[in-house]
Amino acid sequence: MNALLRLLGWLLAVALVVLPVVGLLNGWVGAEHWPLSKLRATAQFQRVDETLLRDTLMPFARQGYFAVDLDAARAAVAALPWVEHAEVRKRWPDVLEVHLAEHVPFARWDDNQLLSEQGRLFPAANIDIPADLPLLGGPDTRIDEVVELYNQTRTMFAPLGLEVREARLDPRGSWTLRLDNGAEVIVGRHEARGRLNRFVRLLPQLLAQQTQVLARADLRYTNGFALVWADSRENHESQG
């Protein structure tokens, strides 16, 4: 009997120690006596909605210092528009701290994504997209190639006072550009840079010979290209 009483006493002592700890970890006591009453951002941000960020973190702050699920809080913040990376920490006694980095947009990608300057795709839904972003597109596995050609062609056309607004690579590997004057440039699959260099070299004299606006240039010819002018809609083949 004495042994049984000693065992029951020991179990009761352990319970008195363990139960408060369990209560703290599960928020039974911690949320009431150790609330996270302050939210702190440790990095500046421009595009992330501050109100949305606060509303996202508040449910986690209410869990209390000991029960707050930091991994879930981080995932919730990381899912917000414009957030590239997020970290969430707690600081004794009552601070929930968030550090986040924003995506810096480089271009639109196809119809429903944006491409960051770090080369990462992120959703365009619920985002106010800057109007001056170029439109790029292609297989997601070939982002680097599309960005490289876009940067090269932007440099090519800049001395002519023209800006590349679109650069696309279709699933068959064929390139198409669109300039800020509305002209579509079909480059094709082979020798894209060589064809573009030849076209850019001859374009000033071709434009000087015409009063119409260039609507379309097809560079998929061995020794030249076909041009369509916006007013006449007639085809003209120029040898290069």
Side-chain angles (χ1 to χ4, degrees):
M1 178 65 72
N2 290 336
L4 179 59
L5 290 175
R6 284 196 299 272
L7 177 60
L8 290 174
W10 182 82
L11 290 175
L12 178 60
V14 170
L16 290 174
V17 173
V18 171
L19 284 177
V21 174
V22 173
L24 287 173
L25 294 178
N26 286 280
W28 303 340
V29 179
E32 182 177 338
H33 295 283
W34 286 276
L36 291 165
S37 57
K38 299 183 180 69
L39 297 178
R40 178 188 299 159
T42 61
Q44 293 183 342
F45 48 88
Q46 297 178 343
R47 296 183 172 89
V48 174
D49 187 295
E50 183 177 350
T51 300
L52 183 58
L53 175 61
R54 183 173 60 250
D55 291 346
T56 299
L57 285 173
M58 281 305 298
F60 298 98
R62 293 191 187 102
Q63 294 172 353
Y65 186 90
F66 293 99
V68 61
D69 188 339
L70 295 177
D71 289 337
R74 183 206 59 77
V77 174
L80 295 178
W82 289 113
V83 175
E84 178 192 14
H85 173 74
E87 297 177 1
V88 179
R89 309 180 185 92
K90 54 186 178 181
R91 301 294 186 189
W92 181 261
D94 59 354
V95 177
L96 188 61
E97 185 177 273
V98 59
H99 180 92
L100 61 85
E102 289 183 320
H103 288 293
V104 180
F106 175 77
R108 291 174 290 153
W109 185 264
D110 288 330
D111 297 325
N112 56 4
Q113 295 187 94
L114 292 173
L115 179 66
S116 74
E117 289 186 352
Q118 291 75 30
R120 298 178 181 175
L121 295 176
F122 61 103
N126 302 317
I127 281 180
D128 186 13
I129 301 174
D132 59 344
L133 292 181
L135 176 60
L136 308 182
D140 291 354
T141 56
R142 303 182 70 176
I143 290 175
D144 290 346
E145 293 178 60
V146 176
V147 172
E148 181 180 10
L149 187 89
Y150 165 72
N151 286 331
Q152 291 176 345
T153 56
R154 184 171 57 174
T155 301
M156 289 180 187
F157 283 97
L160 306 181
L162 295 171
E163 184 178 351
V164 179
R165 296 302 302 157
E166 296 183 22
R168 292 183 177 272
L169 176 64
D170 71 19
R172 298 176 299 172
S174 181
W175 295 96
T176 301
L177 307 178
R178 188 172 295 278
L179 307 180
D180 62 343
N181 64 356
E184 180 184 40
V185 182
I186 302 174
V187 184
R189 292 186 294 174
H190 306 294
E191 301 178 358
R193 288 159 184 79
R195 291 175 177 178
L196 283 163
N197 279 322
R198 182 171 64 238
F199 175 65
V200 170
R201 186 175 66 252
L202 296 175
L203 186 57
Q205 66 187 72
L206 294 173
L207 294 175
Q209 296 170 3
Q210 291 288 335
T211 58
Q212 297 103 336
V213 176
L214 179 64
R216 185 169 180 264
D218 189 342
L219 312 189
R220 296 173 297 180
Y221 290 81
T222 303
N223 297 315
F225 30 82
L227 306 179
V228 176
W229 303 93
D231 293 341
S232 65
R233 307 304 298 178
E234 295 178 358
N235 290 309
H236 301 274
E237 184 172 343
S238 301
Q239 298 298 317

